[in-house]
Amino acid sequence: MIHLDRFCRNLRAVRERIGPDRRICVPVKADAYGHGAVRIAQAALGAGASHLAAATVSEGAELRAAGIGAPILLLSQALPEEAPEIVRHGLTPLVSDRGYIEALAAAALAAGARCPVHLKIDTGMGRLGCSPDEAPGLAAHIAAQSSLVYAGTATHPAASDSALPDERALPGEQLGRFREAVDAIRAAGLDPGIVHAANSGGLLLHPGSWLDMVRPGILLYGYNLSGTDFPAEPVMELVTRITLVKKVKRGESLSYGRTWVSGRDTCIATLPVGYGDGLPRLLSGNWQVLIRGRPYPLAGRICMDQCMADLGPETEIPRWEEVTIFGGPAPSAAELAARLGTIPYEITCNINKRVPRVYMPEI
Ligand SMILES: *Cc1c(COP(=O)(O)O)cnc(C)c1O
């Protein structure tokens, strides 16, 4: 279940925090962190976002095919042969080298179009982006192409999500390098366009990184950073229904490897969710599901398509009853992630396409 009302409230809370004048870009990469890119994009634009961000050309094309006309940043580096498609879909790639700039300029020229681009500067993430020293030269190269529009300048923080005081210094240092590079672009007589840097961590912890536009992802999907007071509400809730309830005698085992052996006569519910749906197999025997407001432990190994929960010796819970795996009234994907030593991004992204996304209304 995808609670669009919660998503919109999270977005409005971001708006309140950053004030009326800055823009909001909503990352909808990886199918909006598993929430469904088109529906999230529509909700985001309806609630006041101006930009969207995708990772791949196909993700951008999916949004265009759904009739979405807002600017779509292309965060990852595309292949040179994808340039014509980027132009055709009117996407806004982040560029950081001459080869890519020229490939896009040529594709736009051939199509008789103008392609907007943002210059990406690496200030410490070490992933994509030009060095701050190269930035003014590349900015001038973009501005010199008649088929390109120099529409923005960006960087990405490497440690903004860390609440550790000694690691907080880095975003400040990154921001300093970024501001210097942007100043140098301006000093060269060029307009850097929309200047942006902040992801969720930057938004929460470093107001100096808000600049012209923020790009919060995980916060809008409802996961706060530890130690911050933002009222984020988790948007994803994984719900299923019991497909079978059966009695199991003391000493009987369940599931592959027979690792779980019942210490008592009990009732077992079978649930049609497994690691093939994105429920991590490492949660076997290490998670409780919620039924009628009460927690019940998973029993035995999680299978590809199913898992089992122990309802106890006496149970009123019938077959077909609703079960919450995470989110909603149950612990969230963030708590589940913490159990496994990972992050909520990975949990929600991995909920497989075969799990139907049911959208609760926007308000
Ligand atoms: C994914 C991404 C974001 C959003 O990050 P969150 O941690 O989810 O807020 C922002 N900017 C870029 C470039 C990204 O790749």
Side-chain angles (χ1 to χ4, degrees):
M1 213 139 39
I2 306 297
H3 295 274
L4 291 175
D5 50 342
R6 296 181 193 167
F7 178 82
C8 291
R9 281 200 292 273
N10 294 337
L11 195 107
R12 290 194 191 102
V14 164
R15 167 58 70 206
E16 226 164 272
R17 175 123 346 169
I18 63 169
D21 299 332
R22 295 187 170 85
R23 296 167 197 264
I24 300 173
C25 171
V26 176
V28 293
K29 60 201 189 190
D31 205 22
Y33 296 36
H35 295 69
V38 169
R39 293 299 297 268
I40 290 288
Q42 288 165 338
L45 295 170
S50 64
H51 287 61
L52 303 166
T56 66
V57 179
S58 62
E59 288 179 343
E62 184 196 1
L63 297 170
R64 289 288 183 246
I68 290 168
I72 300 171
L73 302 185
L74 198 56
L75 299 174
S76 294
Q77 172 69 53
L79 300 173
E81 59 267 33
E82 291 178 295
E85 227 185 317
I86 291 170
V87 171
R88 188 157 58 84
H89 293 300
L91 307 178
T92 304
L94 268 56
V95 302
S96 50
D97 69 277
R98 282 176 177 261
Y100 193 28
I101 290 168
E102 284 159 17
L104 291 164
L109 201 62
R114 294 190 82 202
C115 177
V117 303
H118 288 208
L119 178 63
K120 175 78 180 280
I121 304 173
D122 182 20
T123 55
M125 180 72 181
R127 192 170 59 182
L128 289 174
C130 66
S131 75
D133 294 344
E134 294 169 304
L138 285 172
H141 196 52
I142 295 167
Q145 313 294 323
S146 60
S147 59
L148 299 183
V149 180
Y150 180 23
T153 305
T155 192
H156 190 62
S160 64
D161 54 346
S162 172
L164 299 173
D166 53 345
E167 286 180 58
R168 276 193 188 181
L170 187 60
E173 198 182 299
Q174 277 193 262
L175 202 59
R177 274 184 221 137
F178 184 53
R179 283 179 183 282
E180 275 174 36
V182 171
D183 286 346
I185 290 168
R186 288 206 174 97
L190 298 162
D191 177 358
I194 300 169
V195 177
H196 52 113
N199 57 1
S200 297
L203 187 134
L204 288 171
L205 297 168
H206 308 283
S209 71
W210 295 350
L211 305 169
D212 299 335
M213 181 164 80
V214 296
R215 310 185 303 262
I218 200 70
L219 190 62
L220 293 175
Y221 299 109
Y223 306 99
N224 214 337
L225 305 181
S226 59
T228 59
D229 61 349
F230 193 87
E233 300 176 71
V235 174
M236 184 183 285
E237 179 180 356
L238 183 59
V239 179
T240 186
R241 289 173 65 189
I242 297 173
T243 48
L244 188 67
V245 177
K246 63 180 171 296
K247 290 191 184 309
V248 166
K249 288 204 182 332
R250 180 167 184 268
E252 286 189 286
S253 69
L254 289 183
S255 197
Y256 290 118
R258 313 186 80 167
T259 54
W260 187 91
V261 179
S262 189
R264 58 181 180 177
D265 291 1
T266 191
C267 299
I268 294 293
T270 300
L271 312 176
V273 178
Y275 62 79
D277 299 290
L279 186 67
R281 188 171 174 275
L282 287 171
L283 279 183
S284 301
N286 191 18
W287 191 246
Q288 296 190 318
V289 297
L290 205 73
I291 309 169
R292 294 184 173 176
R294 286 192 50 198
Y296 295 92
L298 292 183
R301 285 195 182 143
I302 293 170
C303 309
M304 184 183 290
D305 312 302
Q306 302 178 83
C307 63
M308 276 79 87
D310 185 355
L311 302 179
E314 305 290 334
T315 188
E316 307 271 284
I317 295 170
R319 191 183 189 187
W320 314 125
E321 186 70 16
E322 200 170 275
V323 179
T324 304
I325 310 277
F326 66 75
S332 76
E335 286 157 274
L336 192 156
R339 186 70 62 89
L340 300 175
T342 185
I343 51 178
Y345 306 66
E346 191 180 19
I347 302 301
T348 64
C349 279
N350 281 349
I351 298 303
N352 196 285
K353 284 269 195 287
R354 82 173 174 188
V355 179
R357 268 59 173 179
V358 177
Y359 291 91
M360 303 305 278
E362 311 170 42
I363 292 172

